[in-house]
Structure formats: C-alpha cells, structure tokens
Amino acid sequence: MKNEQADLEVRTAAVLTNYAKQLAGTTVLLAISGGADSVSLLYTSAHLQDQFGFSLRCVHVNHRLRPSNETGADAYLIKHHCKKLKVPLTIVNIAPGAIEAYAKEHRVGIEAAARYYRHRAFKRQIHRWSASWIFMGHTRDDALELALMRFLRGSGPMGLAQLSEKRGRIIRPLITSSRKDVEAYLFRYSIPFANDSTNKDNRYLRNRIRNVLIPLLDREFPFWRSGVLEAASTQTFVAALLKESVSNGVSWEKIAEGSNQGFRTESAAFFHQPMIIREESMYQVLDKLRRDSGVLLKEGMNPDGETSPRLRTVRRTALRQFAAGKVKALNLSDCRFIHTGLFIEILQKQNLAAEAGFSHVIRIPGQFSIENLEFSITNGNAAVSGGNSQRITLPCLVRLPQMGDRLRYRNRLRSLAELRTSSTNRAWAKQFIIEDTQGLAVYVLIDIHSKISIYWRDPIPETVEKNDSFMLEIQLRGNHARRSER
C-alpha cells in the first residue's frame, strides 16, 4: 500500500526546506480549526519541528457562528491532539454576536467578517508569543477554489496569480498536497478530525464553488485542475512583470494635506503608460495608501491577499474609466482619485460621517434655502452684474468639503487649504461646496460672525455658458455673499 504518511510528510518537508534557515530557532504558530487540513498539518509539523529546529504552538479561533455543541466538540478534539503531541494550545473565543454585528455595520458578508476577527486574533497571538511564522493548512484544492472564485469575480493578474507557499509571515506547508492526500493520511492512521456543518451551506460563494461547480467540472472537464493551475502559474509571472513595470513606469510621490495623506504622480507619465500598467499602478497605490493609514491588515496577515472587509472591493471596471481618462475623479469608499491636470492624485476622504450627513441636490432653477444659505438660480440668459460671471450647470450638489477637492481658480486648480490661506485670517464656522456637471463650481466659507466669503471657479466654456448654464446668487441671512477676486 502506498505510504501516505511518508508522502505527505515528504511533501510538507519539501516546502519547509525552502525556508529552513528562516525557521530555525523560531516560534511557529499553527492555525487549527479541527478540520482535516489543519489536523494533518498539526501532525506533520509536530513530526518535523525537531528536524527544522522550530518550536510549534497552536491557535484555535471559535467564531461562535455554529451551535455550541459543535464548537465545543471541535475544541475538545483539538485539545486531545495537542495534548497527545505535546504542542501548546491557545483558544480564542470571539464574543457572541460580534461577527454578525461587524458584518451588518460594515455591510460585508459573514465570511469576510469572520476572516477579519480570525486574522486579528492570529496577529495578536503572534505578538503575544513573539512568533516569527504562522502555518496555515491551505491545500492545492484551496488554491483551485480561490482561483475559480477570483476568476468569477473578475480579478486581474494579481488576483489570478497562484496561491503562494509564503506570503509575509504566512507559510502554507500543504500547498503542494491535495485534499485527498490529506484525508488518506488521516484515515490510514486513524486520526479523527471535525467536519464543519457550514461547509454544506451553499449561500457562501466558496461553498457553491466547492459543492456545485467543482463536481460539475470534474464530471464534464476532468482536465480542468491542471489547466487552472497552469493558468494561475502563468498569471504569477504576469503579475510579477506588471509589478516591475509599474515600479519602473509610474512613480508615486507622497503628499499630505492637514491630517490626511495621499500620493500623486505626473499625469503625462501616467497616461503615457499602457492601460494595464495604469490600472495596476492605481491598485498598488491604493493598497499603499490603505496600508499607510492602517486600514489593511499588515505584514501579510490575510492569506487570501484580500483587503480588509471594512472596505468594499474596488472593481477593475471602475478604475478603468479613470485610467482611460474618461472621468476626472473617482470616488471610493475611503479615498478618491483625481486628475488635476498636471497630476494624478489619490487622497483620503475626510470626515466621511459628516459628508454622508449633509448633501442637497438642486435639479431645477428657483429659490432654495439650505442650512443658513439662500440660493437663487435663474435662467442663464439673465444679466450678470458687472460682467462677473457666476454661472453653474444643473443638476448641482451642495455638500461638505472632501479631502482632495480642487477648485479651478485664477487659471489653475487649487486646494481648499490654499484658498483658505489666501483669505483673511478668520475662524471659519462652516464650509460648503457646490459641485455641478463641470466639476467644483463654488467654495463657500462662513465665519463665526456669520460673514460669508465665496470662491467662484474660473468661467466655464462659452458653449456651455450660452446653452446650459444658470445664474447663481447666494445670500446669508439677507446679506449678499462677498465675492472672491478674479
């Protein structure tokens, strides 16, 4: 009979040999769920720890998403294995309802919320035990499932690249072994493992892929596994080439405005690059901004290489519109891309809760009262006093300022901070932006004495002004707004 133990341990040892020098003399945490993959990883790692000179510890996270009798049985089984192998164990219990509350608050799925808590627990245990590495029981089947899932979601080369043996502090010793190899090893040596009842719940995409799509592929296209792995391997090389090309072709400079931060690059150099380089450079700088601001899980702690579930996934189609130059601004959940003319910028949004709390759309001419402001919008053919054009297009949006807002003033785009600095030195109580179909049109400042100053953008194109514009006047408590100089 084929020696599954020898084969599985040989394959595991072959992976660990690639990192033998880094592993020697370190503490390794092993993430254990009680399932077949992690239990087999526990046994093979325990047998190999003396050979490679590392000290093994286990971490089990109870998400409290299943009945207590199931999770209790899992914990009991894990304790049994760890005691038998003399491997120290830490069990982390997530507060009841915490994952569901997190998913609802951040509008993400239960899987994403559970992953966030799980990896947060791993990171804390790494610091607690001064561990250098964490072993995870991903197999070749997991790599196939992930490849299918990312393909269905429309991932680019970076997402379609092969699930790696090592990423950051994570090492995947079973990545060259199949799930059948793992189960045969456990069966041969009568090692019990747990079956997660939620694995049969096809509401989750990964489960539908595992339980519905893969059996269909196995039946109708028996060669699909090698094909997908070969494609993923090719995408790994493509991703590496793109990363190098982006680094050589697009250079992002760090910038700061107030307490927020961002990056910018010269627009001429950006648009000189092929479309795929532009797209990938946007993804890279987006990840960099989020890591610098502490939004992403750092040091490779997320094994799927995905961003934190606090943020919605950024679809490639959205970035493609901006990268093609079809739009001048792209608003994401936590930041925005802007084409200012000379530069392409990505900046954090400021005070998102406040921004969401105030906005007003004006669609037709008329008299409007918003906050303490009185707006008068009349037909575009109305006379303009003193020839000082104050025209906008409709619809327009009255909102609070956002990080990265730029107003074209005196022949160039200027930040709001620059405009405030050029104004008289007053304490501003309120600020508003009026944005129309041509971009930012008006910046309104109200000081603590209820005096108002307005910065109007440079005149809009004559063709727009004649055909589609309207006259805007703004008052505050019966007083006309003081115009900024042209």
Side-chain angles (χ1 to χ4, degrees), residues 380-453:
N381 294 323
V384 180
S385 176
N388 190 2
S389 175
Q390 304 170 45
R391 298 187 184 277
I392 62 167
T393 61
L394 294 180
C396 69
L397 175 69
V398 183
R399 61 170 174 80
L400 298 182
Q402 297 177 355
M403 181 63 181
D405 279 340
R406 299 286 191 273
L407 182 72
R408 183 164 292 282
Y409 179 69
R410 292 187 176 179
N411 299 317
R412 72 178 179 87
L413 284 170
R414 300 174 189 265
S415 69
L416 303 188
E418 182 180 359
L419 295 174
R420 289 194 299 272
T421 302
S422 67
S423 186
T424 54
N425 224 349
R426 291 206 296 264
W428 301 111
K430 291 186 178 181
Q431 304 175 47
F432 300 95
I433 286 291
I434 301 175
E435 186 173 11
D436 65 9
T437 58
Q438 301 297 305
L440 264 62
V442 186
Y443 181 32
V444 183
L445 295 162
I446 306 172
D447 70 10
I448 58 176
H449 303 294
S450 295
K451 291 184 179 180
I452 184 171
S453 291

Side-chain angles (χ1 to χ4, degrees), residues 131-387:
S132 299
W133 307 98
I134 182 165
F135 284 1
M136 290 194 170
H138 296 104
T139 65
R140 191 167 64 232
D141 292 76
D142 292 305
L144 287 165
E145 291 169 5
L146 184 61
L148 290 173
M149 185 165 64
R150 288 180 172 175
F151 175 79
L152 292 174
R153 286 176 169 170
S155 294
M158 301 290 185
L160 294 175
Q162 198 168 24
L163 190 62
S164 60
E165 287 183 356
K166 176 182 174 295
R167 181 177 182 272
R169 293 185 177 185
I170 293 171
I171 297 177
R172 303 179 175 94
L174 299 181
I175 198 64
T176 61
S177 302
S178 70
R179 191 164 291 136
K180 287 184 178 179
D181 295 332
V182 165
E183 291 176 351
Y185 166 68
L186 296 173
F187 177 77
R188 178 177 175 81
Y189 294 97
S190 303
I191 302 172
F193 60 91
N195 286 304
D196 187 341
S197 61
T198 62
N199 287 339
K200 298 178 181 179
D201 189 345
N202 287 340
R203 289 178 298 175
Y204 303 123
L205 176 59
R206 185 181 289 272
N207 288 350
R208 291 200 300 277
I209 289 172
R210 180 181 297 172
N211 301 329
V212 180
L213 179 57
I214 287 179
L216 173 65
L217 292 173
D218 285 339
R219 184 176 66 252
E220 301 294 337
F221 308 96
F223 55 84
W224 76 272
R225 293 172 184 267
S226 60
V228 169
L229 288 176
E230 288 176 8
S233 179
T234 301
Q235 290 303 307
T236 301
F237 294 116
V238 173
L241 177 62
L242 282 176
K243 186 176 181 179
E244 182 179 356
S245 300
V246 168
S247 299
N248 294 335
V250 183
S251 177
W252 293 93
E253 172 192 10
K254 194 167 187 176
I255 57 176
E257 184 173 315
S259 60
N260 294 287
Q261 61 183 357
F263 295 88
R264 72 180 180 186
T265 188
E266 292 183 1
S267 57
F270 178 81
F271 285 110
H272 181 71
Q273 301 298 319
M275 173 64 80
I276 188 64
I277 302 298
R278 285 179 247 163
E279 290 180 14
E280 293 302 326
S281 72
M282 291 176 69
Y283 274 112
Q284 286 189 22
V285 75
L286 175 61
D287 285 346
K288 184 172 179 57
L289 179 68
R290 288 173 170 176
R291 286 193 179 94
D292 286 358
S293 60
V295 175
L296 288 188
L297 295 172
K298 297 183 179 179
E299 302 184 50
M301 280 306 303
N302 191 329
D304 290 342
E306 298 171 354
T307 58
S308 163
R310 282 173 282 183
L311 303 168
R312 293 183 178 181
T313 302
V314 181
R315 296 296 182 187
R316 186 169 291 270
T317 51
L319 267 64
R320 186 163 292 165
Q321 291 290 311
F322 184 90
K326 295 181 179 179
V327 295
K328 298 294 185 182
L330 174 63
N331 287 305
L332 305 178
S333 60
D334 59 322
C335 58
R336 64 186 337 210
F337 283 97
I338 311 162
H339 182 197
T340 68
L342 291 176
F343 296 101
I344 302 295
E345 297 182 352
I346 178 174
L347 297 161
Q348 289 177 316
K349 287 184 179 178
Q350 188 177 25
N351 198 7
L352 293 177
E355 290 169 13
F358 173 78
S359 65
H360 187 92
V361 178
I362 300 176
R363 302 184 184 278
I364 58 175
Q367 304 292 323
F368 305 92
S369 178
I370 302 173
E371 293 283 319
N372 293 331
L373 298 174
E374 298 291 335
F375 294 83
S376 174
I377 300 179
T378 57
N379 186 280
N381 294 323
V384 180
S385 176

